[in-house]
Amino acid sequence: MFRFSVFIFLMSVSVFARAQNKPNIVLIMADDMGYSDIGAYGGEVRTPNLDRLAKEGIRYRQFYNAARCCPTRASLLTGLYPHQAGMGWMAAADLGTGPAYQDNLNNECVTIAEVLKTAGYHTYMTGKWHVTNERKIDGEVTDNWPRQRGFDRYFGIIPGGANYFTPMIYSDNRRYKAPDNFYLTNAISDTSVRFLKEHFSKEGRDPFFMYVAYTAPHWPLHAFKATIDKYREAYKKGWDAIRADRFKRQKEIGLFAAGTISTPRDATVPPWDRLTEKEKEEMSMRMAIYAAQIDIMDEGIGKIVQTLKENNALDNTLIFFLSDNGACAEFISSGKSKAVDGTEETFESYRLPWANVSSTPFQQYKHFTHEGGIATPLIVHWPEGIAPGLNNRFVSDYGHITDIMATCVAVSGARYPSVFHGHDIHPMEGKSLLPHFSGRSNNRGKIYWEHEANIALRDGKWKLVAKTPEDASFSIDSLQLYDMTADPTETNNLGSRDPERVKAMYTDWEQWAHKIGAFPLDTREYGARMQAYRRNINGRFDDNLGGWNIHCAEDMKGSITVDDKSRITGKRSAFISVQQAAAKPAALSMLWPFKAQEGERFRLRLKARSDKDTRFFVRLESTGPGAHRIVDQELNIKSDTKSFEFTSAAIPRNGMYRVGLYFGTAASGSQLWIDDVELIAVNE
């Protein structure tokens, strides 16, 4: 052992002597991919390019993400815990419980791109952003898009998911529909290659940072038939056999010790042999499409690597590959077609039984902080920066998503700022992985988690973890304690044997949670959070028209836009131009849908003005067939600003309702401004 350590040290000295130039950095992230899916981590999916990077680089046995897409991406980009970057939950909603849950990347953090640009790096991004509030995306508020957060060039999707064949595409700050014969994974790969080729052509040997954020294999299950057909027979073996095969290979390649115990099949998953033949056909097809998505991604990664090689840049390019969370057990089923065939008319997920396979040998999934939710493969490839004697070896130290920023800062020579663009910046939370590249430890220390009241703390070999069901309160009685050295799959809860350690670790976690703003813990299900957010109307138009549904009939000559000339109260107001009125008020409208319960009452407020005497309608009404109007008022307005307030009758039944502003019969040639629209629940 001593001789090997000396050999590694001497080789590392030689390696770093050769890596005198700043390395290029390529950070590749898969989406919703489980720990065991790729070949280098025991999977049967054909990933020759990733497997080659692992063979020529190093792999981590224990590397952690933040359990969900948005928190992980915020943490990866900033080197902070998600809450510190403003992404304590998801980009879908500002929960209104403090800056940790604004769910929009804040100004108290910096991205890797922003930091590396100060060290002379060119910065490029392709793929999924997902750290901008979705209402702002809808309103095309670009202040927190990739170009505004340090990237010189960008191509991909700003929201969190999309149809692979027909998404809305974002190129720099432009948004447009995808062209014909489009497939998102290939577009991400091909654009990455194009950015690289243009960099080498125009910038020569200047260093670059490229972030490639694939959406594969996130739902929906979309792939090409030829690739799907490669896997159709393989998964007819069923999830029990595939899971067993994966765990066997994981032991054979040294990912786990021979005596490691796998968690049992998820209790909610039936044995494969109890399925009907029809069920087996459908479920094997789901996994075949999922595998095809990974296969296509790997092919694209091969193109990126080949481009680096052709430009003599591969040896001094630091490549990371990892996933944003554990396997996804979410049940998704929508789209025009319910066929499971991978075509654009479908919108399906591969379901919990296969997620249980992807998590092999762990328990739990995306959302949760047991290993199945937070463990990611991490492959690191850097011929000029990793000691050759370490090639194809595993790193036994654990690491965390925040460590990527720290590593990029260390290898680039950049300085992580304490102040950036006039804002105080949180100190980095990660530790550089650089010592691992020469066979040494970085003494990682404590790592913390909180997502939807699923919590964890890793401290050396010890891990404290708890799962909290939706709509249930977090309970310290749910805390579990594991020795991750002896029990890396969390099969032997030691909490009852060592209650003092549990108590001390929870106190430690609680202090951290208060420090980063995690409280109050929120366990509401996704829809409940979203509906609460819908009641917070974008009525001052800070997010432009984000969240509003705008309608203009064919027989109507008019438009609804945003005026930023401070016409009423705030900087922005809705501007309605009526060139020629129509026969019906609904011909030009702006609608704000929300969910309401029987018996609820609401107060509706707004301010309005016009350049001439005119009128419009304000309604609070149910949606769908047989619409019921709770408020129906015709307002007459003039050139002076006027405030209006209405209190509704009780909501007659549970369902979807909307605030509707109808301008179709306003005076032809009139211009109107609307501001300060509020919807307030009345508790009487």
Side-chain angles (χ1 to χ4, degrees):
M1 182 66 184
F2 174 75
R3 289 181 179 178
F4 178 74
S5 299
V6 171
F7 170 73
I8 291 297
F9 174 76
L10 293 175
M11 289 301 297
S12 67
V13 171
S14 173
V15 166
F16 289 117
R18 288 187 287 123
Q20 294 178 356
N21 298 323
K22 293 179 179 180
N24 306 309
I25 302 171
V26 177
L27 174 57
I28 305 173
M29 174 170 279
D31 194 355
D32 276 11
M33 192 192 80
Y35 182 80
S36 72
D37 283 324
I38 62 175
Y41 279 76
E44 68 293 323
V45 182
R46 301 172 198 177
T47 54
N49 295 293
L50 286 170
D51 298 349
R52 189 177 305 112
L53 291 176
K55 185 176 181 180
E56 297 172 356
I58 55 177
R59 277 170 282 180
Y60 283 70
R61 288 190 175 93
Q62 300 175 95
F63 200 83
Y64 293 119
N65 51 49
R68 193 87 175 269
C69 40
C70 298
T72 289
R73 289 162 202 280
S75 202
L76 173 71
L77 281 165
T78 67
L80 303 175
Y81 286 107
H83 307 72
Q84 294 172 303
M87 195 60 67
W89 187 54
M90 297 286 287
D94 180 340
L95 298 184
T97 54
Y101 294 103
Q102 71 177 41
D103 295 322
N104 189 66
L105 209 62
N106 62 30
N107 290 321
E108 286 71 55
C109 64
V110 285
T111 68
I112 297 174
E114 288 171 328
V115 174
L116 294 191
K117 279 179 73 71
T118 67
Y121 276 70
H122 300 270
T123 55
Y124 310 103
M125 181 183 171
T126 58
K128 173 175 167 176
W129 180 240
H130 209 196
V131 287
T132 294
N133 180 278
E134 291 177 8
R135 188 178 293 180
K136 293 182 179 295
I137 299 171
D138 184 42
E140 296 189 71
V141 180
T142 62
D143 59 353
N144 193 36
W145 290 17
R147 283 296 302 275
Q148 284 67 39
R149 295 309 301 246
F151 289 96
D152 297 328
R153 304 182 71 180
Y154 171 72
F155 171 88
I157 61 170
I158 301 293
N163 187 302
Y164 283 71
F165 297 104
T166 61
M168 289 296 295
I169 290 299
Y170 298 74
S171 181
D172 293 332
N173 291 326
R174 297 182 299 112
R175 177 166 67 185
Y176 56 91
K177 290 184 178 179
D180 294 338
N181 301 315
F182 184 90
Y183 184 73
L184 185 54
T185 305
N186 286 345
I188 292 170
S189 299
D190 294 344
T191 306
S192 300
V193 168
R194 179 165 60 85
F195 283 175
L196 287 174
K197 288 181 177 179
E198 292 176 1
H199 173 88
F200 292 126
S201 173
K202 297 176 182 178
E203 311 300 343
R205 308 314 298 178
D206 287 359
F208 65 83
F209 167 65
M210 174 174 280
Y211 174 33
V212 183
Y214 285 103
T215 59
H218 191 289
W219 47 260
L221 294 174
H222 284 165
F224 302 114
K225 182 179 183 302
T227 314
I228 297 169
D229 287 347
K230 291 165 58 176
Y231 295 97
R232 292 195 65 169
E233 293 301 317
Y235 293 110
K236 291 180 179 179
K237 292 175 62 175
W239 42 65
D240 294 317
I242 296 293
R243 196 165 189 262
D245 289 346
R246 288 191 178 189
F247 189 46
K248 179 181 178 183
R249 281 193 297 271
Q250 288 174 330
K251 290 183 176 181
E252 290 172 348
I253 63 177
L255 189 56
F256 293 98
T260 304
I261 299 172
S262 174
T263 58
R265 183 199 320 116
D266 189 300
T268 66
V269 178
W272 180 259
D273 58 13
R274 291 188 186 174
L275 271 62
T276 66
E277 290 305 311
K278 183 178 179 181
E279 289 171 334
K280 289 178 180 179
E281 183 67 27
E282 177 194 323
M283 293 305 294
S284 62
M285 185 63 168
R286 290 184 186 275
M287 187 62 192
I289 302 169
Y290 175 88
Q293 290 176 302
I294 296 174
D295 186 307
I296 296 167
M297 175 182 67
D298 181 80
E299 183 180 355
I301 292 170
K303 293 178 182 178
I304 293 170
V305 172
Q306 182 61 29
T307 303
L308 293 169
K309 185 180 295 185
E310 289 172 354
N311 287 275
N312 298 315
L314 181 61
D315 287 353
N316 198 30
T317 296
L318 169 57
I319 301 175
F320 297 98
F321 173 82
L322 69 166
S323 182
D324 65 341
N325 45 247
C328 176
E330 295 164 351
F331 183 99
I332 304 296
S333 182
S334 60
K336 296 178 182 178
S337 170
K338 294 299 179 183
V340 182
D341 58 12
T343 59
E344 66 183 70
E345 292 82 12
T346 62
F347 210 92
E348 297 285 328
S349 61
Y350 76 151
R351 309 288 168 81
L352 188 150
W354 288 116
N356 189 215
V357 172
S358 292
S359 288
T360 304
F362 303 130
Q363 61 171 301
Q364 297 304 326
Y365 316 98
K366 170 185 177 181
H367 297 253
F368 306 112
T369 52
H370 285 79
E371 295 292 285
I374 60 176
T376 174
L378 177 65
I379 296 170
V380 184
H381 182 276
W382 183 20
E384 289 190 7
I386 297 175
L390 295 177
N391 288 352
N392 203 28
R393 291 183 177 270
F394 289 100
V395 176
S396 294
D397 282 4
Y398 60 87
H400 185 250
I401 199 81
T402 56
D403 300 342
I404 302 297
M405 166 71 90
T407 308
C408 290
V409 169
V411 302
S412 67
R415 289 191 176 184
Y416 183 89
S418 58
V419 177
F420 190 75
H421 291 169
H423 299 281
D424 292 335
I425 302 300
H426 293 295
M428 278 191 298
E429 293 286 352
K431 294 189 74 172
S432 172
L433 304 175
L434 202 52
H436 298 156
F437 302 172
S438 57
R440 297 175 291 125
S441 174
N442 71 343
N443 301 308
R444 181 56 182 85
K446 298 175 183 177
I447 302 172
Y448 303 84
W449 289 265
E450 189 283 325
H451 182 66
E452 297 179 335
N454 300 296
I455 78 164
L457 164 59
R458 179 74 190 262
D459 184 7
K461 71 176 186 176
W462 295 106
K463 181 181 176 185
L464 185 76
V465 61
K467 177 183 176 182
T468 304
E470 286 183 343
D471 293 326
S473 298
F474 169 78
S475 171
I476 60 173
D477 293 336
S478 64
L479 292 169
Q480 300 172 351
L481 179 68
Y482 295 101
D483 177 345
M484 299 303 292
T485 300
D487 179 25
T489 55
E490 299 171 309
T491 58
N492 184 22
N493 177 15
L494 302 175
S496 61
R497 302 183 198 176
D498 199 348
E500 291 304 313
R501 187 180 300 278
V502 171
K503 181 179 178 181
M505 290 184 73
Y506 178 69
T507 299
D508 187 345
W509 178 88
E510 196 172 31
Q511 291 172 347
W512 167 83
H514 281 293
K515 171 189 167 185
I516 56 99
F519 288 107
L521 301 183
D522 194 335
T523 63
R524 292 174 298 169
E525 56 94 18
Y526 192 99
R529 299 178 197 231
M530 288 300 300
Q531 290 306 323
Y533 185 48
R534 289 300 304 174
R535 296 188 179 198
N536 177 21
I537 294 181
N538 175 25
R540 300 192 69 178
F541 305 97
D542 294 327
D543 298 328
N544 294 328
L545 292 173
W548 289 95
N549 296 330
I550 306 301
H551 174 70
C552 185
E554 291 183 1
D555 63 340
M556 179 76 199
K557 292 184 179 180
S559 62
I560 300 176
T561 57
V562 170
D563 188 339
D564 60 0
K565 300 296 193 299
S566 303
R567 302 281 183 174
I568 299 182
T569 302
K571 180 180 179 181
R572 296 182 176 91
S573 57
F575 173 56
I576 299 91
S577 175
V578 180
Q579 288 91 49
Q580 183 175 325
K584 296 181 179 180
L588 182 63
S589 61
M590 50 193 301
L591 309 172
W592 188 275
F594 66 98
K595 196 171 187 178
Q597 303 296 314
E598 181 180 350
E600 286 191 290
R601 300 174 70 235
F602 294 91
R603 186 171 293 118
L604 180 60
R605 296 173 177 163
L606 72 153
K607 294 177 182 177
R609 59 169 291 195
S610 175
D611 67 341
K612 63 172 64 177
D613 291 358
T614 190
R615 59 180 184 159
F616 70 99
F617 289 86
V618 174
R619 293 169 180 161
L620 196 161
E621 58 194 357
S622 60
T623 64
H628 184 83
R629 291 176 183 166
I630 317 299
V631 172
D632 187 6
Q633 296 285 335
E634 183 178 25
L635 307 186
N636 294 297
I637 59 171
K638 301 182 180 181
S639 59
D640 56 324
T641 298
K642 188 173 181 180
S643 298
F644 300 91
E645 181 175 305
F646 310 100
T647 301
S648 76
I651 295 294
R653 64 185 69 86
N654 296 349
M656 291 301 299
Y657 291 77
R658 68 189 178 201
V659 173
L661 307 180
Y662 295 94
F663 306 100
T665 54
S668 295
S670 63
Q671 296 180 338
L672 302 87
W673 290 266
I674 305 292
D675 202 355
D676 296 321
V677 185
E678 292 183 274
L679 180 71
I680 304 166
V682 178
N683 298 314
E684 295 180 351

